[in-house]
Amino acid sequence: MWWYIGKRLLQTIPVILGATFIIWALVFLRPGDPILGLFGDKPASPAVKAAIEHQYHLDENFFVQWLYFLKGIFTFDLGDDFRGQAISTQLQNAFPVTVTLALMALVFEAIFGVVLGTIAGLRRNGWFDSTMLVATLIMLAIPIFVIGFVFQLFFGVKLGWAAVTVGGDWTVSKLILPAVVLGIVDLAYTLRLTRTSVAENLSADHVRTARAKGLSPGLVVRNHVLRNSLIPVTTHLGVNVGGLMAGAVITEGIFNVPGVGNLAFRSIQQGQSTTVVSVVTVMVLVYVLMSLLVDLLYAVLDPRIRYA
Amino acid sequence: MRLTRRQRLAGVAMVVVGGLTLAACGSDSDGGSAGGSDAVITVYGTNPQNPMIPTATNEVGGGDPIQNLYAGLVAYNADGSVVNEVADSIDSKDSINWTVKLKDGWKFTDGSPVTAQSFVRAWNYGANPANKQLNNYFFYPIEGTDDVGNTTDGAKEMSGLKVVDDKTFTIKLKSAESDFPLRLGYSAYFPVPDSAFDSSGKITKEYGDHPIGNGPYMLTKKGWEKAKQIAMVPNPDYKGAHKPKNGGLTFKFFNSTDSAYSAVQSGELDVLDQVPPSALTTFETDGDVKAYNEPGSSFSSITIPERLPHFKGEEGNLRRAAISQAINRKEITEKIFNGARTPAKDFTSPVLDGWTDSVPGNEVLNFDAAKAKDLWAQADKIAKWDGKFQLAYNNDGAGNKEFSEAVANQIKNTLGIDASAKVYATFDELRKDVTDRTIKTAFRTGWQADYPSMLNYLGPIYATGAGSNDGDYSNKQFDKLVSEASAAQGDARYKLITEAQTLLLKDLPALPLWYQNATAVTGQDVKGFVFTWQQKPQYYALTK
């Protein structure tokens, strides 16, 4: 298995090369001139503009610029953005809070999604199942910014139960409300998925056999239904972590979370190509790591799966 | 290789731990800053994009803190009047050669004295293009610089600046400018201590992260915490006119004004100096906050370059006047901006000394459909209109899309021509086409003055060859009036400015639209809120 993990980690290298190249090309193709943008509505001095372009290799061709960036990655020196702020500091400030937020949202949706989904699946077509169906449909139908603003106004401003904004001095307790908002759509999805999967497994052959052997209903559900049902759910949750991090832009904006989504959004707006690609590189690492984790979890859940 | 269940779990755990180390790096938690006897006021801010060096900072995230950390030669009062700050006197006989004398006893917060050299060295640093300072443009009036404020011919220093002694220096300008001292309160002209420079003469990165100034406030030990806040406390050695009345300021960073507004409602933030569009209809009746709304110093217009077909000469003037009168400014300011804009009466701003709402010829800014049609028909007699009228805007500014489409619709409906709004995704995309002169349409323009003078709204935008003359307008008569006004004093000066504006109203190099209102909300317990002429809170006067 260690060899398998090593092999998978080695595979990240071409993935990073490819992803950074594509993103680099996209930011490069973006119209406009980020250096001109630095000057705002004041006239830009050609001499200063040329000096800044030279400093950040913007006067080189596209491919050479990309190589400079790669050199930065492999020497662990990402350098500065076009305004002279260290990119590594920006990443260090943005990632911890977003990772925490995404994991909290994941825990929230995993626990509630799996538990409620299992109950709904076991009591298929009962009143609980029907209630959950309606509830999840509502969750899926309301856009996240509506949920965000409503929760903020209701729980934050009116009731005062939760912090209205998070800010730079974030704590786990301040992140609870944003995490719930971020996780709510995926919660609905996880719930539906678990419910269907459990319902399907209940009528599977091996479950019937287990029942026939005289195992108690609790054991049957825990060991034979749930374990098998969790495989698709695990895939969904694992892949979702990356999505939660990248998709947090709106939630981060509403609750003022100084995280990755906003860093990326601002950097794209300003054409800060090096920052954008640095963010993407870390995101690619997260995705690769998560999919590896999911694959390894399969082996835990399903003894038939083996890696060599 | 066969693995036991335990080994598999160990593998999973390894990957999890690897992932968590990503999350663990660099999260520290520490809130609050040490305050004096009075309360610390928390104000809205954004993370400064540039190093906090006066000549490098050109956006509000860094600009607002810098205004509080430094004191210039002069300071601006809330009403736009100017008082000497570090300067004891700024005198000139011919408005070209200026002598600046400094007051005694001013110190930077590291203890070093503020000398003539502190100013001259900082300005020369800003003007030298090798230092890549974004504010170099501000030095263009001084001799030894080119049109955009760079030192000429690779010189390290401007020839117009001479240090006479510790407390005196002289400035020689390229041409007479009677209101030159008004400029000197702008942040680009702040002094910088010698300790900011390294041995090669560059301002260090450390200084940019933790600037040392001579202003009403100084940074706390933690000062600027990236992506979080900038905390400052009153500077005990400050001797100027704006002595802090509060126990300190903390600029809390926000991603959006929407979240900042919610923070003011709930009491997490004291002052937000920019009401988000989503709250504009409700903020004045919102019981959770105190609201402020008054005309401000930022001017919006549409520029129609002469090089566009049908916009040259006599025909062009008729068409511009027709379009101007086809726009119902009042309706847009009310319907789209909910009263957060005030229809323009001239090319400057009502917050300034000498402003009047009765510049001769400004009826061309009033909505008059019949007149507009008539003028358009007259222009059609000179040359038949073909093609379509487009108005370019950048979609990353709030309200731009809505007002551009409304203006285009009004033009279309009134004049019966094909008119539409043309979107640019970002500000810098629009600016690139405008700067390259490749733009083939009319476009939105705006101006926020750098110092409280009406001339700052005219010369830099409409004078022949001026740096921000995006429409390449050129009128010898206007140039003459502006340079005469620059050298004149008192009422004579305002008369010349009015004459110059009348010329602009005839030629309409840009169609004035409206003045942006200054809007703000504060917590219920915040007292002493006043707008400065720059639409900013008078930070030092805030109390709780």
Side-chain angles (χ1 to χ4, degrees):
Chain A
M1 188 176 72
W2 304 117
W3 168 236
Y4 174 78
I5 294 178
K7 214 164 61 182
R8 285 286 298 264
L9 289 177
L10 279 179
Q11 281 171 6
T12 48
I13 295 172
V15 173
I16 286 189
L17 287 182
T20 54
F21 185 79
I22 292 169
I23 300 293
W24 192 272
L26 287 175
V27 181
F28 188 85
L29 289 173
R30 168 192 178 280
D33 182 341
I35 304 301
L36 198 60
L38 297 183
F39 291 88
D41 51 9
K42 293 283 175 295
S45 147
V48 173
K49 189 165 174 277
I52 296 177
E53 280 169 356
H54 182 69
Q55 180 183 352
Y56 297 109
H57 310 298
L58 294 177
D59 46 355
E60 310 268 7
N61 75 42
F62 158 73
F63 195 72
V64 177
Q65 289 185 35
W66 180 62
L67 290 180
Y68 271 113
F69 173 76
L70 282 187
K71 186 180 147 219
I73 288 206
F74 288 110
T75 54
F76 295 103
D77 176 18
L78 293 171
D80 293 344
D81 69 12
F82 301 148
R83 288 180 183 269
Q85 304 286 354
I87 292 174
S88 56
T89 324
Q90 296 185 35
L91 293 181
Q92 266 170 34
N93 283 328
F95 265 97
V97 63
T98 301
V99 170
T100 314
L101 179 66
L103 289 180
M104 285 172 69
L106 186 77
V107 168
F108 164 73
E109 66 170 84
I111 292 179
F112 283 89
V114 170
V115 170
L116 297 177
T118 309
I119 299 174
L122 291 175
R123 303 185 187 154
R124 211 167 359 156
N125 301 331
W127 65 267
F128 184 81
D129 190 22
S130 312
T131 318
M132 281 300 124
L133 176 68
V134 174
T136 50
L137 282 179
I138 292 174
M139 286 185 222
L140 286 169
I142 303 178
I144 190 164
F145 63 88
V146 175
I147 300 179
F149 279 119
V150 169
F151 277 28
Q152 184 185 45
L153 185 69
F154 191 69
F155 295 111
V157 178
K158 297 293 174 206
L159 293 178
W161 290 356
V164 172
T165 56
V166 175
D169 43 355
W170 58 277
T171 56
V172 169
S173 63
K174 279 189 182 177
L175 285 174
I176 292 176
L177 191 59
V180 168
V181 170
L182 183 60
I184 211 156
V185 173
D186 282 320
L187 162 68
Y189 195 77
T190 310
L191 201 156
R192 303 298 314 156
L193 197 64
T194 313
R195 181 232 174 240
T196 315
S197 189
V198 165
E200 216 168 80
N201 273 307
L202 272 180
S203 54
D205 290 346
H206 70 277
V207 173
R208 201 180 50 210
T209 313
R211 281 218 181 97
K213 277 197 303 190
L215 283 180
S216 74
L219 269 181
V220 172
V221 170
R222 257 205 316 280
N223 286 349
H224 297 280
V225 178
L226 208 50
R227 233 172 112 181
N228 281 311
S229 308
L230 283 183
I231 292 179
V233 179
T234 311
T235 318
H236 168 68
L237 291 176
V239 174
N240 226 348
V241 176
L244 284 173
M245 288 177 62
V249 184
I250 298 169
T251 319
E252 286 183 4
I254 296 171
F255 293 99
N256 192 35
V257 181
V260 176
N262 275 285
L263 177 62
F265 179 69
R266 236 181 10 234
S267 310
I268 292 170
Q269 234 181 10
Q270 296 172 2
Q272 297 273 15
S273 42
T274 34
T275 320
V276 178
V277 187
S278 302
V279 170
V280 170
T281 309
V282 183
M283 294 298 266
V284 169
L285 274 176
V286 171
Y287 265 100
V288 170
L289 222 64
M290 282 319 295
S291 64
L292 174 58
L293 185 67
V294 168
D295 286 350
L296 293 177
L297 271 174
Y298 284 164
V300 177
L301 291 167
D302 185 346
R304 286 170 303 186
I305 298 173
R306 256 175 226 127
Y307 299 114
Chain B
M1 165 175 162
R2 293 209 54 165
L3 291 163
T4 63
R5 185 113 179 257
R6 181 173 295 180
Q7 276 170 315
R8 282 186 186 146
L9 277 172
V12 172
M14 276 263 306
V15 180
V16 170
V17 168
L20 284 181
T21 34
L22 257 180
C25 55
S27 69
D28 66 324
S29 56
D30 175 82
S33 52
S37 54
D38 300 318
V40 173
I41 309 287
T42 55
V43 295
Y44 168 81
T46 51
N47 199 39
Q49 294 175 13
N50 301 296
M52 284 214 281
I53 301 167
T55 46
T57 295
N58 66 346
E59 48 86 45
V60 289
D64 293 347
I66 276 189
Q67 291 285 352
N68 289 293
L69 293 172
Y70 289 86
L73 291 170
V74 302
Y76 302 126
N77 289 330
D79 59 2
S81 64
V82 170
V83 285
N84 280 347
E85 183 91 330
V86 182
D88 191 34
S89 65
I90 307 172
D91 294 319
S92 173
K93 288 196 181 73
D94 52 5
S95 295
I96 291 180
N97 292 291
W98 295 83
T99 304
V100 180
K101 285 198 168 27
L102 306 182
K103 285 178 190 149
D104 286 326
W106 279 79
K107 278 191 290 190
F108 289 103
T109 51
D110 65 351
S112 59
V114 180
T115 63
Q117 181 67 20
S118 315
F119 285 95
V120 171
R121 192 172 183 186
W123 296 6
N124 280 328
Y125 186 82
N128 182 354
N131 296 325
K132 296 174 264 196
Q133 301 293 292
L134 299 177
N135 278 338
N136 57 346
Y137 156 78
F138 290 93
F139 302 106
Y140 81 87
I142 301 172
E143 196 176 77
T145 62
D146 60 18
D147 287 347
V148 280
N150 293 311
T151 50
T152 38
D153 306 323
K156 289 209 166 92
E157 293 172 354
M158 292 178 271
S159 56
L161 294 181
K162 294 267 178 331
V163 175
V164 178
D165 59 42
D166 255 10
K167 293 277 172 252
T168 318
F169 68 100
T170 60
I171 308 166
K172 187 171 185 219
L173 302 182
K174 289 178 190 161
S175 60
E177 248 188 85
S178 61
D179 65 1
F180 181 70
L182 292 186
R183 290 173 187 265
L184 299 175
Y186 190 78
S187 59
Y189 298 102
F190 287 155
V192 168
D194 278 341
S195 59
F197 299 87
D198 64 14
S199 53
S200 66
K202 294 270 179 209
I203 293 184
T204 59
K205 247 192 150 88
E206 291 71 40
Y207 184 83
D209 281 340
H210 198 99
I212 293 158
N214 59 335
Y217 293 90
M218 57 186 198
L219 290 178
T220 61
K221 197 153 164 289
K222 282 198 164 174
W224 176 12
E225 294 174 70
K226 301 267 167 89
K228 182 175 167 186
Q229 64 182 32
I230 296 176
M232 45 184 83
V233 290
N235 169 9
D237 294 332
Y238 175 73
K239 295 185 158 36
H242 295 166
K243 198 124 188 98
K245 292 178 180 162
N246 47 45
L249 295 175
T250 302
F251 286 84
K252 277 197 181 181
F253 302 152
F254 284 84
N255 292 329
S256 68
T257 45
D258 287 308
S259 58
Y261 187 84
S262 305
V264 175
Q265 282 181 314
S266 69
E268 285 171 19
L269 180 72
D270 292 327
V271 178
L272 167 64
D273 59 357
Q274 211 183 328
V275 176
S278 60
L280 275 179
T281 43
T282 53
F283 81 105
E284 288 178 289
T285 52
D286 187 337
D288 294 332
V289 299
K290 280 201 223 173
Y292 301 87
N293 183 4
E294 47 189 76
S297 57
S298 161
F299 169 81
S300 299
S301 56
I302 299 174
T303 298
I304 309 177
E306 276 202 71
R307 59 176 181 279
L308 299 185
H310 293 294
F311 284 101
K312 255 190 278 304
E314 175 67 16
E315 182 198 357
N317 282 358
L318 286 168
R319 292 206 191 277
R320 284 195 188 84
I323 290 172
S324 177
Q325 295 187 68
I327 302 169
N328 190 341
R329 293 166 177 77
K330 192 154 174 287
E331 187 177 68
I332 294 180
T333 54
E334 279 166 9
K335 294 273 160 58
I336 291 177
F337 293 111
N338 295 304
R341 303 282 189 283
T342 307
K345 295 278 175 209
D346 74 337
F347 289 83
T348 66
S349 156
V351 300
L352 301 170
D353 275 354
W355 182 83
T356 163
D357 65 355
S358 49
V359 178
N362 72 0
E363 59 278 356
V364 74
L365 306 179
N366 297 336
F367 175 62
D368 186 340
K371 193 82 196 292
K373 277 191 202 120
D374 180 44
L375 288 168
W376 193 261
Q378 287 180 37
D380 271 347
K381 278 185 199 141
I382 298 173
K384 188 94 184 105
W385 171 258
D386 56 2
K388 55 183 174 182
F389 181 80
Q390 281 192 306
L391 170 60
Y393 66 96
N394 54 308
N395 204 11
D396 55 353
N400 286 350
K401 176 174 193 281
E402 290 77 5
F403 97 67
S404 302
E405 286 177 351
V407 165
N409 273 332
Q410 289 180 342
I411 294 171
K412 188 169 154 186
N413 293 340
T414 312
L415 299 178
I417 59 170
D418 184 3
S420 60
K422 184 179 178 210
V423 61
Y424 280 79
T426 60
F427 179 70
D428 73 274
E429 284 170 37
L430 175 62
R431 286 313 299 178
K432 182 172 192 300
D433 278 6
V434 169
T435 311
D436 294 351
R437 304 291 190 252
T438 50
I439 194 156
K440 298 262 182 334
T441 64
F443 47 92
R444 70 164 280 272
T445 35
W447 188 257
Q448 163 96 56
D450 307 313
Y451 58 97
S453 162
M454 290 167 83
L455 284 176
N456 190 231
Y457 286 82
L458 303 177
I461 319 179
Y462 311 112
T464 306
S468 294
N469 191 341
D470 296 331
D472 292 323
Y473 176 68
S474 174
N475 182 332
K476 292 268 148 35
Q477 181 68 14
F478 174 80
D479 294 349
K480 191 164 150 272
L481 286 168
V482 165
S483 66
E484 277 173 23
S486 297
Q489 304 277 1
D491 285 345
R493 182 185 147 98
Y494 295 136
K495 205 172 146 268
L496 288 164
I497 289 175
T498 302
E499 276 179 46
Q501 290 218 67
T502 305
L503 268 185
L504 290 185
L505 286 166
K506 200 170 130 281
D507 293 346
L508 289 172
L511 312 181
L513 292 176
W514 37 73
Y515 317 114
Q516 190 169 342
N517 281 22
T519 54
V521 288
T522 71
Q524 290 289 9
D525 52 347
V526 177
K527 291 190 275 290
F529 184 94
V530 199
F531 279 116
T532 66
W533 69 274
Q534 288 158 305
Q535 311 189 172
K536 288 288 161 193
Q538 190 69 288
Y539 289 106
Y540 76 91
L542 294 165
T543 53
K544 237 188 353 182

